[in-house]
Each structure stands twice: as structure tokens, then as C-alpha cells.
Amino acid sequence: MKLSQFKFNLPESLVANNPAEQRDEARLMVLHKDSGKIEHKIFKDVLGYFDDKDVMILNNTKVFPARLYGNKEKTGATIEVFLLRELNKELRLWDVLVDPARKIRVGNKLYFGDDDLLVAEVVDNTTSRGRTIRFLFEGTDEEFRKNVEILGETPLPKYIKRKATAEDKERYQTIFAKHEGAVAAPTAGLHFSRELMKRLELKGVEFAEVTLHVGLGTFRTVEVEDLTKHKMDSEQFIIEPKDAGIVNKAIEEKRKICAVGTTSMRAIESAVSANRTLKAANDWTSKFIFPPYDFSIANSMITNFHTPESTLLMMVSAFGGYENVMNAYEVAVKEKYKFYSYGDAMLII
């Protein structure tokens, strides 16, 4: 398939800048992939589509406050430093993006916080905006992380045109987030409230967790018309044996298995055994899923509404059927569903 087949017109007014008042009261579009039928619901209605022994696969990655603002030595210029991933815990080496990048050279020192709570030195250039920095910090890892927590901002995506607030710290995080390492939230999971999870549990729905640390590559634009030539960024994922066991039992019993989010789907599709069951894994994936694609594990999926020409829209189209999904997106625009991270949800079943 070609990149241009995933274009659609999205009015800016449909980009959600704020979350729904209650997590589980965002709107929910239900797309039946066999018939293409569409239903309009509220997210908590998801309860009506799952039964005893069905399984939902959740991504339990935790977003850390990845956006820091520092000052360059001598000039005092303000520099945005976006922490991508920790390269070496002992040396406190981090892979980061800097903005404006033209001002930052190897050897420069950056100071963070009014009383220079953290100081970092640029040790390498990685890409045009990418740098490797080393934090010059003598304390424990716990103290270091506490300082990052104090200084860092919730890394809201750039298309949300406002500053991050205290509310974002809670709402740009799933209620089941456990393992820190993501620089963007697995957004389909943001719609689950504690009450809804409890009600699903009472109904007998089981939860399996995977960890996929979402990187900034999730927002990277596709720049090639021929999709086979696009390269995905690598992301770390972990699937524990007990969670693989929960999923495999459901496969065996022909239950509904729902991947909550494109990140959960990528993780499970990156760990399929020869007999199409789920393997435990601790690995990196750069898997790019676009139509046509034969899915091995999940037979339903919850996802948000994605950007035109994004790899996320491509995966959803592979799962729900290209015509079905593009038609559903047309309906979503007409019905004024909210798009992107804080937007509404879609259940493909």
C-alpha cells in the first residue's frame, strides 16, 4: 500500500487538547470488522462487548517527565532537553533531543533549576537534534530521579498547544502504569478508570499485562510513498511468562482477546511462536504493521483516533480492514469525534 492512501482531512478543531472529564466517559466508536457496521457509544459501554474469561492486554509502561528546560553555560540561553532513554545508569548517560539544536555543541554544559539542581554536559552528537548528555550528579539514583521528577514536565505531544499542567501528570498516565520508561502514553489505556476495571473484573474479564516503552518514533512522520521502505524506531518490550500464559489459555479456549492500544498490539505481534501462540520476551521491536497483515494473537482491539498518514492508522487499517477503517474515520470527522492522545476511542471487534 501507498502512504497517500492514508490521507484524510482532519479539522484542527477535532484535535483534543484536554482529556474527557471522566476517563471512561470519552466517546467510543464500535467498528464491527466483518460487516463494517458502526455503533456510537460511551467508553464505559465497552463492558457490554466482553464476557467471562475474555482477555484484555494492557501496556503497563509508565511515562516519565521527559521534558526539561535548562540554561546553557555562559550565554544563559534556554534550551529544551527531551530525555529519550537512559543509556547507562552508572554514568548517567542519556540519549536526548535538544531545541534549538544549532546552539548545542559537544562540551557545552547545561544547568537545570533555579539552584542548578542538575547539571549536564553534552558528550556526543547523534542526529541533527539528537545528543548524548551526561548528568554530573553525585547522589544516589533515587535522588537523581527525584530531581528529574521535580524539574521535568509531562511530555505532552507537540500538537497539544498548551503547557503541561498538574492535571496532566495524572491524566497522561494510565491507572495501571508500573514500569517507567515511556516518553509518550499508551493512549488507548487512558480511558480505563478504576471503576470500569473493577466492573470488567466482576464480569470475569481477565487482564494480561505487557510492557512496551513508547518512544518518540510513535509520532515520526512517514516520508516514503512506498510503505515497505519505511523504518520504524526500535522500542523495548517485555512479556512475562504468566501473562503469556493467560493469553495462550484464551487462544486455546477461543475467547475474545483484546489488544488495548497499538503498543500492546506491536508487543504481542513481536513475540509470536511458530504455532501462533504468545511467547515470553524481553527484547526490542521495530515491527511495522500495515495492510495486508495476518494478526496472530488478538481478535479485537481498542485504540484512539490517529493522525493522517501515521503508522498507527496503518496498523489499525490492517486490523479492521482498510475500507472499514477509512470509512469509520470519515464518520468520526463528520460526528466530531476527538482525535489523538486525549481524544475518543474506537473498539474494533
Side-chain angles (χ1 to χ4, degrees), residues 14-31:
L14 297 187
V15 174
N17 274 308
N18 295 286
E21 213 154 289
Q22 302 295 329
R23 285 180 186 267
D24 57 15
E25 288 185 357
R27 292 167 76 190
L28 174 73
M29 178 187 283
V30 182
L31 171 63

Side-chain angles (χ1 to χ4, degrees), residues 19 21-23 63 154 165-177 185 190 192-194 342:
E21 213 154 289
Q22 302 295 329
R23 285 180 186 267
V63 181
T154 302
T165 64
E167 185 199 24
D168 293 310
K169 200 168 193 150
E170 185 225 336
R171 293 299 303 272
Y172 195 64
Q173 193 82 271
T174 64
I175 59 166
F176 40 80
L190 296 179
F192 285 83
S193 64
R194 285 194 167 75
Y342 274 152

Side-chain angles (χ1 to χ4, degrees), residues 67-315:
R67 189 173 276 128
L68 301 174
Y69 291 94
N71 298 98
K72 191 179 162 190
E73 62 178 334
K74 297 194 179 96
T75 67
T78 300
I79 307 292
E80 180 187 315
V81 175
F82 195 100
L83 304 175
L84 289 176
R85 69 172 68 127
E86 189 171 38
L87 300 172
N88 185 309
K89 194 176 267 200
E90 281 65 51
L91 298 176
R92 305 207 196 286
L93 282 180
W94 283 77
D95 190 9
V96 304
L97 294 176
V98 292
D99 196 19
R102 59 184 169 22
K103 293 187 172 178
I104 300 300
R105 299 195 168 84
V106 172
N108 286 161
K109 280 204 174 75
L110 298 167
Y111 296 87
F112 301 93
D114 295 340
D115 46 3
D116 302 338
L117 203 53
L118 289 175
V119 180
E121 184 182 8
V122 181
V123 294
D124 198 8
N125 294 324
T126 51
T127 61
S128 59
R129 284 181 58 216
R131 303 288 183 271
T132 303
I133 67 171
R134 183 174 73 236
F135 285 98
L136 311 172
F137 187 79
E138 294 299 320
T140 64
D141 191 54
E142 206 176 319
E143 290 165 334
F144 170 71
R145 284 177 191 281
K146 203 168 166 183
N147 287 355
V148 170
E149 191 70 37
I150 292 165
L151 296 168
E153 246 185 34
T154 302
L156 291 182
K158 287 283 193 193
Y159 53 69
I160 291 179
K161 304 275 190 268
R162 61 175 178 80
K163 292 287 274 178
T165 64
E167 185 199 24
D168 293 310
K169 200 168 193 150
E170 185 225 336
R171 293 299 303 272
Y172 195 64
Q173 193 82 271
T174 64
I175 59 166
F176 40 80
K178 282 189 188 123
H179 304 297
E180 199 168 82
V183 298
T187 55
L190 296 179
H191 301 293
F192 285 83
S193 64
R194 285 194 167 75
E195 298 73 25
L196 179 59
M197 301 260 314
K198 195 80 221 145
R199 289 173 70 196
L200 284 161
E201 252 171 60
L202 290 170
K203 206 171 173 186
V205 174
E206 294 184 49
F207 298 104
E209 295 188 3
V210 298
T211 307
L212 182 135
H213 293 313
V214 191
L216 267 193
T218 192
F219 303 116
R220 198 181 298 291
T221 51
V222 180
E223 287 166 348
V224 285
E225 179 66 3
D226 176 357
L227 298 185
T228 61
K229 295 193 163 53
H230 177 69
K231 294 276 180 288
M232 293 288 278
D233 288 24
S234 218
E235 291 171 320
Q236 187 186 16
F237 75 101
I238 299 155
I239 301 170
E240 299 291 350
K242 87 170 169 53
D243 295 293
I246 293 169
V247 172
N248 290 335
K249 187 166 180 282
I251 291 175
E252 204 181 307
E253 295 175 359
K254 299 192 164 32
R255 306 286 181 192
K256 276 199 196 97
I257 298 167
C258 181
V260 176
T262 56
T263 59
S264 297
M265 187 69 91
R266 261 181 88 209
I268 61 179
E269 284 296 318
S270 302
V272 179
S273 72
N275 58 352
R276 289 169 79 98
T277 57
L278 186 61
K279 298 186 297 197
N282 185 338
D283 208 346
W284 291 76
T285 180
S286 52
K287 194 170 191 62
F288 177 28
I289 297 173
F290 59 94
Y293 182 86
D294 184 18
F295 289 83
S296 296
I297 307 293
N299 47 31
S300 60
M301 175 182 198
I302 292 171
T303 185
N304 277 27
F305 288 94
H306 305 294
T307 352
E309 300 186 315
S310 64
T311 59
L312 309 177
L313 173 58
M314 291 163 196
M315 180 198 284

